[in-house]
Amino acid sequence: MSGQLQNRKTRTNTQENFRRRKISLISKADDLHRLFGADVFLVIRKKGKYYGYNSREELDWPPTKEELEHDIGIIKGG
């Protein structure tokens, strides 16, 4: 098999693996929301492209960085 053909096959396999794992991760995020009522915001970035899932449509979700830092500080006892 030529090197060029092998590279193309490897690239195709990598793209397919990424696609399957992305779908699986988004499905699991959706399951967390549907089964347990968890609010989920997921962002995947690959080579400058963004893929995402948001379990809520409200404008106040996801929380801002400051809100997260405040909430995490409270949880840690900060």
Side-chain angles (χ1 to χ4, degrees):
M1 186 177 297
S2 74
Q4 193 174 26
L5 185 57
Q6 182 64 35
N7 286 343
R8 185 178 299 152
K9 185 176 180 183
T10 300
R11 188 170 42 246
T12 301
N13 286 343
T14 300
Q15 290 170 346
E16 181 61 23
N17 285 336
F18 174 77
R19 186 187 72 79
R20 280 191 304 230
R21 286 178 182 254
K22 178 185 69 167
I23 289 169
S24 176
L25 186 58
I26 291 172
S27 175
K28 289 179 185 302
D30 187 59
D31 288 348
L32 280 171
H33 172 65
R34 286 184 303 101
L35 297 173
F36 304 106
D39 294 330
V40 181
F41 183 76
L42 171 69
V43 176
I44 303 167
R45 183 178 141 214
K46 180 183 178 202
K47 296 182 179 181
K49 289 185 179 180
Y50 290 88
Y51 309 89
Y53 170 82
N54 190 351
S55 65
R56 294 177 51 181
E57 294 186 16
E58 290 86 9
L59 295 176
D60 66 340
W61 184 255
T64 65
K65 180 180 175 184
E66 291 77 21
E67 290 171 324
L68 288 171
E69 288 171 346
H70 177 263
D71 291 347
I72 289 171
I74 291 172
I75 292 169
K76 289 183 176 179

